[in-house]
Amino acid sequence: MEEKMAVSRNFIEQIIDTDLAEGKYETICTRFPPEPNGYLHIGHAKSILLNYGLAKKYGGKFNLRFDDTNPTKEKTEFVDSIIADVKWLGADFEDRLFFASNYFEQMYEAAVKLIKKGKAFVCDLSAEEIRAYRGTLTEPGKESPYRNRSIEENLELFENMKNGMYEDGAKVLRAKIDMASPNINMRDPVIYRVAHMSHHNTGDQWCIYPMYDFAHPIEDAIEGVTHSICTLEFEDHRPLYDWVVKEAEYEHPPKQIEFAKLYLTNVVTGKRYIKKLVEEGIVDGWDDPRLVSIAALRRRGFTPESIQMFVDLCGISKSQSSVDYAMLEYCIREDLKMKRPRMMAVLDPIKLVIDNYPEDQIEYLDVELNLENPELGMRKVPFGRELYIDREDFMENPPKKYFRLFPGNEVRLMGAYFVKCVSFEKDEDGKVTEIHCTYDPETKSGSGFTGRKVKGTIHWVAAKTALRATVRLYENIIDESKGVYNEDGSLNLNPNSLTVLNDCPIEPAFGNAKPYDSFQFVRQGYFCVDAKDSREDALVFNRIVSLKSSFRLPKAE
Ligand code: ATP
Ligand code: MG
C-alpha cells in the first residue's frame, strides 16, 4: 500500500519525502517569487498552486516574495495585481509577504563575505569585454586581468561602488569560480552591477544592485525556504545557486528543483507580447478576457477551482510540453455545470407571436434553476403572447433531421408549452422578421401531459418582460490555422476574436446578477457578468466557454 502511494507521487514530492525521511529538513517551506514587471498568467498559476499545494500537503509554509532586485522594469501597479491574483487563487501566504529588496543589506554583506574569502573580485572590464572573455560552449573562457586584485583592494573598490563613485557599467563585482568550467554560468559570473536608478521600494538608497543568480539563493536562504522550485531554464544555473548558498555559509541551505513550464497552445502568454497587445490597443488591458493573464481569466469567468483542476490535470514534469486550451475549457465547464443556474437568453432574436394566446396576459412559470441540481431551487419565468427565439431555431426550408421550428412543425418551448408554426413574415431582403404559432394549453411543462411528443425543445424569452444585455463572444486572439507569428515576427491576429451582440433579450431573473456571477445560457454556453463594463441597468456578459467540446479527458492508465 505504502509503495503504491509513493509511486503515484510526482517527482518533486518524492524529493521532499526523501529529504524529510533523511532528516535534511524538519518541515518544508516553499515560495512563489514573481518579478513585479507584469501581470501573472496561467503559467504562473501553475507555479503558485504547485508551491502552495506542497506547503499545504506537508504542513509547511508558503511565502509570497517579490523578486524586485532589478529597478528598471518594476512597478507598484504590478505588485498590487500580483497580490490580488495570488489571493484569488486561494494560495494563502498568511503574513509572509516579502520583498527581496528588503534584503539588499544582507546581500551586500554576503558579497563582502565572498570578497573576504577571496571568492569575489571587482572587475573593470566592460560588458562587451566580459562577454568576449567568457568563451563558448566548446572553448574555455579567459581570466580577467583584474581577477587577482588583493582582498583589501576589492573591499575598497566594492565599497566605492556602493558609495556611488563609478558610472553605470564602469565596474562590476564578479564571483571567482572557474573560467574553464564547462558550465558557462560558473565562469566568474557578475554578481553586482552599478546602476544609478531609483527603486520602487528602496528609492535612491542603493546604486549597486545584485544579479538574479546571486540574489535568488540568498533570498531563499534568508527566508528558510527548503525547496526552491523554478522552471527548467534555471537547471544550468543550479551549480551557481549551490555555490552561492555554500560560500555565503547559510545554515540551512535551500535546494533548487526545476520543472517544465506550462505552455498553452494558441494563446499568448509572453509578457512581451501581451504588453504589445495592450500598448497597441488591440486588447482593452491586461485583463482583456481574450488573454490568459490571471486577471483576464477571472474577468472572463474562470474560477479558482477550475484553474486548480486544470493544474492538477496537467501534472508536473521535467519535459517541456504544451497543453491544449480546450483542457482549460473542460475544467471550467466541469466546475460550473452543477453550481450555476441555467437560464434563457436569446443572442440573435427573432420575434415569435402566439396567435391564440391572450393579448395582455403574462403568466409566471416555475422553472428549475438547474435541472441537474434541484438544490439550486426554482425561478419564475414570465410567459406571454410575444416572445423572442434564436434565429437559428427557425428554418423556412429545413434539411432532414432539423427538429426545431419550421412551418407546420411543433416544438416545446423550454419549461412552457408546445407551439406549432402556422406562418411567418419576411422583409424585402427575404429575411424572416416574425413567426406565428399557436400553442396548446394542455401541454404545459410539469402538467403530466402525455398526449403526443415533439422532437425539439427551444429556448425563448418573453418580449414584454425581457431585460436587454450586451453579450461578447470570443475566439482565440491568434489565428490558429496559420500559426502564432507572421513572417515579419508580428502576431498573427484573428480578426474575429471579439464579437459584440447588443440588446440581447434575457429573462428577468438575470436582474440580480453581480459582477463575476456566471450562468449557463441554455444551449449556448457559460457566461459571466463583466466586472469592468457591466452596469446594473446595462448588463454585459462575457462568454466563458461554449457548451460543446471535442476535448476528452485522457483515459487513466
Ligand atoms: P514570463 O517570461 O512568462 O513573463 P517569468 O518567468 O519572467 O514569466 P517571473 O515573475 O520571473 O516570470 O516568474 C515567477 C515564477 O513563475 C518563477 O518561479 C517562474 O519559474 C514561474 N513561471 C513563469 N512562467 C511559468 C510557466 N509558463 N509555467 C510554470 N511556471 C512559470
Ligand atoms: Mg522573469
Side-chain angles (χ1 to χ4, degrees):
M1 180 67 194
E2 223 170 345
E3 219 163 277
K4 215 173 174 185
M5 271 172 67
V7 172
S8 69
R9 305 203 133 193
N10 68 45
F11 77 95
I12 298 179
E13 291 166 341
Q14 291 175 24
I15 293 172
I16 295 175
D17 287 343
T18 308
D19 287 345
L20 291 174
E22 289 176 353
K24 192 158 190 248
Y25 306 106
E26 265 166 30
T27 135
I28 72 156
C29 179
T30 60
R31 86 287 173 263
F32 176 65
E35 208 187 328
N37 62 356
Y39 282 71
L40 299 181
H41 55 61
I42 183 78
H44 294 117
K46 174 163 183 173
S47 175
I48 293 164
L49 293 173
L50 169 63
N51 280 291
Y52 173 67
L54 288 169
K56 207 165 91 174
K57 188 165 193 172
Y58 288 91
K61 288 177 175 158
F62 165 75
N63 300 352
L64 173 59
R65 180 213 312 147
F66 285 97
D67 206 334
D68 58 350
T69 53
N70 180 356
T72 46
K73 302 172 285 184
E74 298 164 355
K75 281 204 211 146
T76 21
E77 174 200 351
F78 298 133
V79 170
D80 297 340
S81 79
I82 290 171
I83 292 174
D85 290 348
V86 173
K87 283 189 174 162
W88 179 73
L89 280 171
D92 187 3
F93 48 87
E94 298 172 1
D95 57 352
R96 289 180 305 281
L97 168 63
F98 301 121
F99 289 85
S101 55
N102 288 338
Y103 311 143
F104 279 158
E105 193 63 47
Q106 283 131 293
M107 292 176 193
Y108 180 77
E109 281 160 20
V112 169
K113 182 176 221 155
L114 293 187
I115 296 174
K116 285 185 178 160
K117 290 170 78 175
K119 301 277 183 178
F121 66 99
V122 172
C123 183
D124 299 3
L125 293 181
S126 68
E128 228 164 90
E129 288 166 323
I130 290 177
R131 215 172 299 126
Y133 275 62
R134 193 178 289 143
T136 64
L137 284 175
T138 49
E139 282 166 56
K142 228 168 56 180
E143 292 190 352
S144 160
Y146 304 99
R147 196 174 200 262
N148 296 313
R149 277 177 164 155
S150 69
I151 289 176
E152 290 68 36
E153 190 184 357
N154 279 320
L155 284 173
E156 191 186 328
L157 293 174
F158 187 49
E159 196 174 342
N160 292 345
M161 279 170 66
K162 176 187 149 186
N163 291 335
M165 289 175 61
Y166 311 118
E167 302 272 289
D168 290 7
K171 283 186 170 43
V172 292
L173 184 71
R174 298 175 68 178
K176 195 192 275 190
I177 310 180
D178 178 8
M179 288 308 289
S181 171
N183 183 335
I184 293 185
N185 295 305
M186 299 297 272
R187 295 182 188 169
D188 294 2
V190 174
I191 57 177
Y192 257 97
R193 66 193 170 113
V194 177
H196 292 269
M197 270 187 268
S198 276
H199 184 278
H200 79 98
N201 180 27
T202 56
D204 293 325
Q205 194 186 338
W206 295 88
C207 65
I208 54 171
Y209 291 96
M211 304 302 286
Y212 179 87
D213 281 339
F214 177 69
H216 204 81
I218 293 179
E219 295 158 23
D220 286 339
I222 288 172
E223 291 176 12
V225 166
T226 55
H227 298 84
S228 176
I229 299 165
C230 62
T231 38
L232 277 184
E233 71 272 24
F234 290 102
E235 198 164 21
D236 292 342
H237 297 241
R238 193 185 338 134
L240 179 52
Y241 183 100
D242 292 340
W243 185 92
V244 171
V245 165
K246 178 166 155 267
E247 296 301 342
E249 298 173 25
Y250 283 99
E251 215 177 317
H252 299 290
K255 180 184 239 176
Q256 176 179 308
I257 304 171
E258 309 87 16
F259 73 102
K261 272 197 175 179
L262 168 65
Y263 287 103
L264 268 188
T265 47
N266 297 309
V267 283
V268 204
T269 54
K271 270 175 217 168
R272 225 156 30 105
Y273 300 106
I274 296 182
K275 215 166 150 197
K276 206 169 147 181
L277 292 170
V278 173
E279 279 164 5
E280 290 179 12
I282 295 164
V283 295
D284 87 342
W286 285 82
D287 58 356
D288 186 289
R290 288 166 291 178
L291 300 175
V292 283
S293 66
I294 295 176
L297 291 170
R298 176 168 63 228
R299 185 170 164 205
R300 176 99 173 237
F302 283 83
T303 57
E305 291 82 358
S306 64
I307 293 173
Q308 178 76 58
M309 189 193 305
F310 175 71
V311 165
D312 290 344
L313 282 176
C314 289
I316 303 297
S317 125
K318 270 270 187 196
S319 57
Q320 216 76 259
S321 67
S322 304
V323 180
D324 199 325
Y325 183 79
M327 191 158 105
L328 188 57
E329 296 188 318
Y330 165 84
C331 293
I332 188 65
R333 274 191 210 99
E334 282 298 302
D335 186 42
L336 299 180
K337 198 162 72 181
M338 304 301 272
K339 274 195 213 166
R340 301 299 307 161
R342 301 174 182 181
M343 308 212 291
M344 296 191 282
V346 176
L347 302 190
D348 186 6
I350 179 168
K351 189 168 267 184
L352 182 149
V353 181
I354 301 172
D355 295 336
N356 61 340
Y357 195 86
E359 191 104 22
D360 292 318
Q361 181 172 313
I362 289 284
E363 81 184 278
Y364 287 86
L365 305 166
D366 289 308
V367 183
E368 267 169 322
L369 279 168
N370 185 329
L371 262 183
E372 284 185 77
N373 181 8
E375 276 178 28
L376 289 189
M378 312 286 284
R379 69 188 193 277
K380 296 276 184 204
V381 184
F383 183 83
R385 179 181 159 93
E386 295 197 353
L387 314 173
Y388 291 107
I389 65 166
D390 249 305
R391 187 166 290 280
E392 60 172 35
D393 286 336
F394 175 82
M395 280 184 104
E396 182 180 355
N397 298 302
K400 268 200 177 132
K401 298 205 171 159
Y402 183 87
F403 298 125
R404 290 171 266 171
L405 215 47
F406 54 88
N409 193 42
E410 190 172 45
V411 298
R412 173 173 290 289
L413 291 175
M414 194 174 281
Y417 300 94
F418 286 5
V419 288
K420 186 175 193 168
C421 176
V422 291
S423 66
F424 62 93
E425 290 161 26
K426 283 195 214 177
D427 64 13
E428 294 123 46
D429 306 325
K431 196 176 169 190
V432 178
T433 52
E434 205 166 282
I435 302 163
H436 288 263
C437 291
T438 53
Y439 89 117
D440 177 353
E442 301 291 308
T443 59
K444 187 168 173 175
S445 262
S447 68
F449 174 79
T450 51
R452 59 186 185 279
K453 286 203 163 101
V454 288
K455 283 196 167 149
T457 299
I458 64 175
H459 63 278
W460 53 275
V461 170
K464 207 178 228 166
T465 49
L467 303 177
R468 298 285 179 160
T470 300
V471 176
R472 299 170 176 155
L473 307 180
Y474 300 104
E475 285 180 19
N476 286 340
I477 198 156
I478 297 299
D479 183 349
E480 292 182 52
S481 59
K482 296 189 226 123
V484 178
Y485 302 105
N486 295 313
E487 267 172 27
D488 65 357
S490 61
L491 285 168
N492 179 22
L493 298 173
N494 171 6
N496 303 319
S497 63
L498 170 65
T499 305
V500 181
L501 307 171
N502 292 307
D503 291 324
C504 300
I506 60 174
E507 53 170 292
F510 281 106
N512 301 322
K514 306 265 175 314
Y516 298 113
D517 281 354
S518 55
F519 302 87
Q520 186 189 114
F521 288 5
V522 288
R523 302 175 68 221
Q524 323 246 28
Y526 291 96
F527 293 75
C528 178
V529 179
D530 190 86
K532 228 174 174 174
D533 303 327
S534 199
R535 304 280 169 273
E536 210 171 308
D537 56 346
L539 288 170
V540 178
F541 288 92
N542 301 326
R543 180 156 75 188
I544 312 168
V545 65
S546 60
L547 285 184
K548 297 249 159 49
S549 160
S550 54
F551 178 80
R552 292 282 169 276
L553 263 190
K555 281 226 176 72
E557 279 157 41

